[in-house]
């Protein structure tokens, strides 16, 4: 066949021929398979002397496109190391295949009809340095839940860069944004997405309540051990029953919990406040939900429990954003954000962690991005 320019895809006359190259192909019946070909150089009118377009290859990669797609698809099911061992190739080959797969998918991705975004931060690596946190932006529509963007650190600059990468068309079509109460995120969303309804993630609020109950329990347990061992026994082995939802505590743990509630210890009062707040999410009316929130904050401020008072002050500060949960009328599922966060942890755990941010980013897009895939003559997996 006549040679074509690799840049403009137009037919061009031949110029000379390069030395023979090899491209690794998908193993057939366990037999290693290679393409061997001596590429021609063509003299294009527009681009001069260039290497011809090779249909089974992309650039100078030592594998065929079919092989890279084969390894990339298996890289979703197995860790990259296991994929390399099973198909008798190197970890670097699997990584480069997934990288090519993701780059192609991001280049052909369509961001249309995105109405709901979820913004959150994820910890990865070791330590609590700024570089050990990622800012992730999800699409959490009922019809499509996927990762749209990931960036290093959890700062205002990072989130602004992520929203800018999505483009003005996506930002103009948004209706809802769901996030936690991290102040940099609140500031950016308030300035960059003024027209959207900003909903706070209820799971993060539940986390703050659980942390407050645990702080009360630890402080009271330390105090009781110094004065009364009998009272201290009531708090022993009670951490996880106190953090669980009351309706899910059964058996002997339920008996110990009932005995703790009858003792009127500070931990029991903190747990009752936490359980009472769960009724807040069952309201349908914004007015009645606001009235309940005022009542609960009044009780928490009079409880003489500083961790619970701290949560009450935080909820009062973000009262309008909390009530947006009811204005959204159940159209936003904050559980989708936590579900995608769990999938990120699974990806990291399956690969026993990533040493570089670039590998982490590629793996997240590859697994959670729902990216389009390049067409291929055969699907091997």
């Amino acid at each position: 066949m006549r040679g074509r320019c690799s840049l403009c895809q137009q037919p061009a006359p031949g110029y000379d021929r390069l030395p023979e190259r090899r491209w690794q192909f998908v193993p057939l019946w366990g037999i290693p398979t290679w393409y061997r070909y001596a590429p021609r150089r063509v003299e294009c009118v527009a681009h001069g002397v260039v290497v011809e377009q090779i249909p089974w290859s992309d650039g100078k990669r030592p594998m065929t496109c079919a092989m890279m797609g084969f390894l990339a698809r298996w890289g979703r099911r197995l860790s990259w190391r296991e994929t390399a061992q099973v198909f008798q190739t190197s970890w670097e080959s699997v990584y480069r295949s997934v990288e090519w797969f993701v780059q192609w998918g991001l280049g052909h991705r369509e961001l249309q009809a995105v109405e709901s975004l979820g913004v959150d931060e994820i910890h990865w690596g070791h330590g609590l340095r700024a570089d050990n946190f990622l800012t992730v932006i999800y699409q959490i529509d009922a019809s499509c839940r996927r990762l749209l963007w990931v960036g290093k650190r959890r700062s205002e600059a990072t989130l602004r860069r992520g929203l800018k990468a999505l483009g003005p068309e996506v930002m103009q079509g948004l209706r809802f944004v769901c996030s936690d109460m991290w102040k940099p995120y609140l500031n950016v969303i308030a300035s960059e997405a003024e027209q959207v309804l900003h909903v706070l993630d209820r799971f993060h609020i539940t986390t703050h309540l659980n942390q407050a109950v645990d702080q009360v329990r630890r402080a009271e347990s330390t105090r009781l051990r110094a004065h009364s061992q009998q009272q201290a026994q009531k708090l022993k082995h009670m951490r996880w029953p106190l953090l669980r939802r009351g309706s899910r505590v059964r058996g002997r743990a339920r008996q110990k919990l009932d005995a703790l509630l009858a003792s009127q210890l500070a931990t029991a009062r903190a747990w009752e406040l936490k359980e009472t707040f769960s009724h807040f999410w069952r309201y349908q009316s914004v007015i009645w939900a606001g009235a309940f929130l005022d009542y609960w904050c009044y009780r928490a401020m009079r409880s003489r429990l500083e961790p619970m008072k701290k949560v009450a002050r935080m909820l009062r500060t973000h009262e309008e954003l909390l009530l947006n949960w009811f204005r959204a009328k159940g159209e936003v599922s904050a559980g989708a954000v936590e579900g995608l966060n769990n999938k990120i942890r699974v990806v990291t755990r399956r690969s026993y962690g990533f040493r570089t941010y670039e590998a982490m980013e590629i793996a997240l897009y590859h697994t959670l991005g729902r990216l389009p895939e390049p067409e291929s003559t055969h699907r091997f997996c």
Side-chain angles (χ1 to χ4, degrees), residues 39 44 90 102 124 130 163 226 228 246 248 251 253 285 310 317 346 361:
C44 179
S90 64
V102 169
W124 76 288
L163 297 179
S228 174
R248 297 176 65 90
S285 169
K310 182 179 178 181
T317 303
V346 170
E361 181 181 16

Side-chain angles (χ1 to χ4, degrees), residues 129-154:
R129 297 179 303 167
D131 289 342
N132 291 124
F133 288 91
L134 304 177
T135 295
V136 289
I137 301 177
Y138 303 116
Q139 178 183 357
I140 56 174
D141 293 324
S143 59
C144 182
R145 293 172 179 173
R146 57 177 173 171
L147 175 67
L148 295 181
W149 188 84
V150 57
K152 190 182 293 186
R153 299 193 175 190
R154 50 173 181 172

Side-chain angles (χ1 to χ4, degrees), residues 176 178 197-203 205 280-284 286 289 319-335:
F176 307 102
C178 180
L197 193 64
H198 188 184
V199 181
L200 291 183
D201 188 353
R202 59 178 291 185
F203 291 95
I205 297 172
F280 173 73
W281 307 109
R282 301 175 186 175
Y283 282 91
Q284 301 295 326
V286 178
E319 181 176 358
E320 280 302 312
L321 297 181
L322 278 171
L323 296 179
N324 283 344
W325 171 270
F326 306 97
R327 297 186 181 101
K329 297 187 183 300
E331 294 189 50
V332 178
S333 174

Side-chain angles (χ1 to χ4, degrees), residues 4-7 18 21 39-42 49-54:
R4 292 178 176 270
C5 174
S6 57
L7 300 177
L18 298 175
R21 286 178 56 190
R40 294 172 294 179
R41 289 200 300 174
V42 297
V49 178
V50 295
V51 180
E52 68 174 326
Q53 170 66 23
I54 302 176

